[in-house]
Amino acid sequence: MEIEWRRPLLFALPAAALAFFIGIQFDGPSGQATPFDQIGYPVAFSLLLTLSLVLWKRPARVNAVVTALVFAMSSLFLSKLVFILFFIPQSYQVQLEMTETFFWIPALQILSFFIPNLRGARNASTIFFSLFLLVSVMYLLQVIGSQPSQGTVYALLQLNLANGVLFIVTSAFIGFKEKYVRSISAYETVRELLDTDLLTGLPNRQRLHEVMNTAISEQRTFALLFIDLDGFKLINDTLGHVIGDRALQETSRRLQKLEDQHYFAGRLSGDEFVVLVFDDPTKASQIAQTLLTDLARPIVAEGHIVHLTASIGMSVYPDDGSDSQQLIQHADSAMYTVKTFGKNGIRRFELATDSAIERLKQIEHALTQALTCQQFHLVYQPICSLDDGVVRKLETLLRWTHPTLGPVSAAEFIPIAETNGQIIPLGEWALRAACQQAREWIDRTGLAVTVSVNVSPLQFTQVNFVNQVRQALGDARLPASALEIELTESAVMRRLEVVKASLHELQRLGVRIAIDDFGTGYSSLAYLRDLPINCIKIDQTFIHDLSTPRRAPQFALALIEAVIGIASTLSLQVVAEGIETQKQLDMLRDLGCDLGQGYFLCPPVAADAALETVLASTLFPPGSSPTPLD
Ligand code: C2E
Ligand code: MG
Ligand code: MG
């Protein structure tokens, strides 16, 4: 606890007045204790004591107290001067009395520095100085002609000279202080503007971080409520930005209503707000609940009634994060979970659930920039003949390396890109890049290597998909026969009629079609007969099951056998995906499977390494039994 050692000093002034009064009582020998002093000092003592007590109890009242003190004491000593000059009984020595009055003047002038209202301070010293001067001049005018006491005139001159010097010095100091205060307040205005969100008047992101960092440095516990309005984008898009802005302003007003010194509201961006609840995080859920109800009240904006609700995520310092960034991120993730599970609710951050969702969100966000930032590249996995190991085609696979997330697997980001539609530009990029690469190989070696490109259902059902393919081939000057499109069964079955037309068009172009992950989708075999399909890729789970007896190897075996049988009837190629062991390879070869792909043969590799596998012609070393590449 801070020791407030300065407080007792407040009583120095009343103590001095008391000392003077006591001194007067014992001042018999000099006989200078005037009737004014007998009344004036007790009055001064009580006044100073009262003001000191007020200041002791209410330190915030310092402005009013100091101003009252300066004016009251000035009046007291001015009265004393008037008394000395005009009313003092003959027996007293005026000069001596005036010296005593001198004593207080510097103290009062200095005190006026502390009047925070600078005009008040300036007025105090001007009034004080002018009145002293006026009283002196009046005295001199009165005694002129008579025989004035030389000593009194001399003392008056001294008093006013000293007073004048002090007045000039005080005014100079006050002027300087005024200038300084003005520049400080200009600085504060700029700072305030920099820290304020202009639309809503709430503290902005920067200020929120500052407030949190201060609390963290003081080890002060607090809860962070991350508030995101549900469906705000829709309001902005349908009713316009003016109404959107009004809604945001009204939301801010509601957030500010809870005036509490343990509460701090700010706007992060768009429709995202943050409320900090200090010292008692248990209160935070209660506050969040109140806010949720309050924010759900309809907003009237420009004649429209806007209904908004909010999703609130909460994180607590120090339990859920050690810095402001992390606390915001975690509360944001909890909020995101609320959104995922139906909006209009509150949730506290939970590491296990929310961090998984947080990663999904990070990936989704990072994906928006990834293509323009050239973070993708393609790798190629050879597909070879199981008889002799000769590489027949290369499957292109997308790879993404994000600067902070690191490599993100296709299995993780492709489904996200599929849900938010980013797969469309991404897939188009992959298609074009694969065609360009195949062109480069032709230019370098004269060999037309078939590249097999994965196409998502969403991309495939775009009306201009076939055109996209035509253009990619045209731009790369690649023969259509060097391109194969891999589609999953679900993609084919989803909108069979549309897909059928596109497949026929692609066939006319000369592009080959493969069904990827066969066996995991509909497995309606009829479409194999009706559609222009060239190749079936048996899903790796069946290949895996072949060598793992516990997981129904008979079923996997029967399915692979059946698929190979049908494929041979329909003259389709069969590729076994995900071959990882010699045993699987042997079994597949015995079953009569044409082609295979898998880590055991060759993992996905960069373009140059992929070309080498093609040029080496076989993935099996000369002799016989295949051995894996590294
Ligand atoms: P997919 O088309 O079935 O691709 C085969 C996946 O199996 C690849 O995973 C490949 O690296 C992996 N793989 C290859 N050999 C083995 C093996 O022996 N064992 C095991 N366990 N896995 C093996 P990847 O690259 O992670 O891709 C996953 C999926 O992402 C792909 O499955 C495909 O559906 C999708 N994908 C990849 N690139 C693209 C693309 O450019 N466009 C689209 N639309 N989807 C893509
Ligand atoms: Mg594939
Ligand atoms: Mg596959």
Side-chain angles (χ1 to χ4, degrees), residues 311-323:
S311 298
I312 304 182
M314 178 168 131
S315 64
V316 173
Y317 173 79
D319 303 357
D320 302 331
S322 54
D323 60 52

Side-chain angles (χ1 to χ4, degrees), residues 137-305:
V137 171
M138 276 167 62
Y139 174 76
L140 289 177
L141 285 176
Q142 190 194 316
V143 296
I144 226 159
S146 62
Q147 278 277 310
S149 138
Q150 288 293 323
T152 308
V153 173
Y154 184 66
L156 258 186
L157 220 62
Q158 260 190 334
L159 169 79
N160 281 293
L161 269 177
N163 223 347
V165 170
L166 274 170
F167 173 66
I168 292 167
V169 172
T170 311
S171 300
F173 265 106
I174 290 173
F176 170 76
K177 193 175 150 196
E178 200 166 22
K179 224 169 157 185
Y180 174 73
V181 166
R182 227 182 287 132
S183 69
I184 289 268
S185 80
Y187 169 77
E188 274 170 358
T189 312
V190 171
R191 271 222 60 143
E192 212 173 291
L193 278 178
L194 283 178
D195 285 348
T196 306
D197 169 57
L198 292 182
L199 177 70
T200 61
L202 283 181
N204 60 14
R205 174 187 291 268
Q206 184 181 326
R207 182 83 190 106
L208 275 166
H209 276 286
E210 269 173 23
V211 171
M212 277 192 271
N213 290 338
T214 311
I216 289 170
S217 68
E218 290 167 356
Q219 293 286 305
R220 198 172 166 197
T221 316
F222 63 92
L224 186 156
L225 303 177
F226 191 108
I227 304 167
D228 189 288
L229 300 179
D230 302 324
F232 176 73
K233 192 176 172 320
L234 193 70
I235 304 242
N236 237 356
D237 292 347
T238 54
L239 298 178
H241 287 267
V242 175
I243 292 180
D245 285 355
R246 291 280 161 284
L248 289 177
Q249 284 163 339
E250 177 55 24
T251 303
S252 314
R253 212 183 53 75
R254 291 180 189 181
L255 289 181
Q256 271 173 314
K257 250 187 358 197
L258 245 163
E259 264 187 29
D260 188 326
Q261 55 172 331
H262 300 287
Y263 179 94
F264 188 88
R267 181 183 179 210
L268 266 192
S269 63
D271 62 344
E272 293 173 343
F273 298 87
V274 160
V275 163
L276 304 174
V277 182
F278 290 101
D279 302 325
D280 185 8
T282 47
K283 227 173 56 181
S285 342
Q286 214 180 319
I287 289 180
Q289 193 57 56
T290 312
L291 289 176
L292 210 60
T293 319
D294 202 28
L295 294 178
R297 284 192 297 113
I299 295 171
V300 182
E302 313 275 323
H304 288 268
I305 296 181

Side-chain angles (χ1 to χ4, degrees), residues 227-427:
I227 304 167
D228 189 288
L229 300 179
D230 302 324
F232 176 73
K233 192 176 172 320
L234 193 70
I235 304 242
N236 237 356
D237 292 347
T238 54
L239 298 178
H241 287 267
V242 175
I243 292 180
D245 285 355
R246 291 280 161 284
L248 289 177
Q249 284 163 339
E250 177 55 24
T251 303
S252 314
R253 212 183 53 75
R254 291 180 189 181
L255 289 181
Q256 271 173 314
K257 250 187 358 197
L258 245 163
E259 264 187 29
D260 188 326
Q261 55 172 331
H262 300 287
Y263 179 94
F264 188 88
R267 181 183 179 210
L268 266 192
S269 63
D271 62 344
E272 293 173 343
F273 298 87
V274 160
V275 163
L276 304 174
V277 182
F278 290 101
D279 302 325
D280 185 8
T282 47
K283 227 173 56 181
S285 342
Q286 214 180 319
I287 289 180
Q289 193 57 56
T290 312
L291 289 176
L292 210 60
T293 319
D294 202 28
L295 294 178
R297 284 192 297 113
I299 295 171
V300 182
E302 313 275 323
H304 288 268
I305 296 181
V306 178
H307 291 274
L308 278 172
T309 54
S311 298
I312 304 182
M314 178 168 131
S315 64
V316 173
Y317 173 79
D319 303 357
D320 302 331
S322 54
D323 60 52
S324 56
Q325 194 58 44
Q326 200 178 37
L327 287 161
I328 289 190
Q329 202 177 334
H330 284 172
D332 185 9
S333 305
M335 183 281 294
Y336 198 78
T337 312
V338 175
K339 291 252 188 221
T340 319
F341 292 106
K343 306 176 178 169
N344 192 18
I346 306 162
R347 182 189 159 84
R348 165 132 184 223
F349 172 75
E350 231 174 67
L351 192 64
T353 324
D354 294 316
S355 47
I357 286 189
E358 190 169 307
R359 180 162 169 90
L360 286 185
K361 217 182 83 187
Q362 277 174 345
I363 291 176
E364 186 173 2
H365 179 72
L367 263 178
T368 55
Q369 310 277 316
L371 199 55
T372 44
C373 296
Q374 302 183 333
Q375 290 165 359
F376 292 103
H377 69 278
L378 291 178
V379 290
Y380 303 83
Q381 188 173 32
I383 296 172
C384 70
S385 162
L386 292 187
D387 287 339
D388 50 15
V390 171
V391 177
R392 295 295 166 85
K393 45 189 174 186
L394 295 169
E395 177 176 7
T396 62
L397 295 161
L398 258 175
R399 290 292 175 264
W400 177 25
T401 311
H402 185 264
T404 51
L405 297 171
V408 184
S409 83
E412 206 174 5
F413 74 79
I414 296 278
I416 298 175
E418 270 169 346
T419 52
N420 67 14
Q422 278 161 346
I423 193 69
I424 296 173
L426 192 52

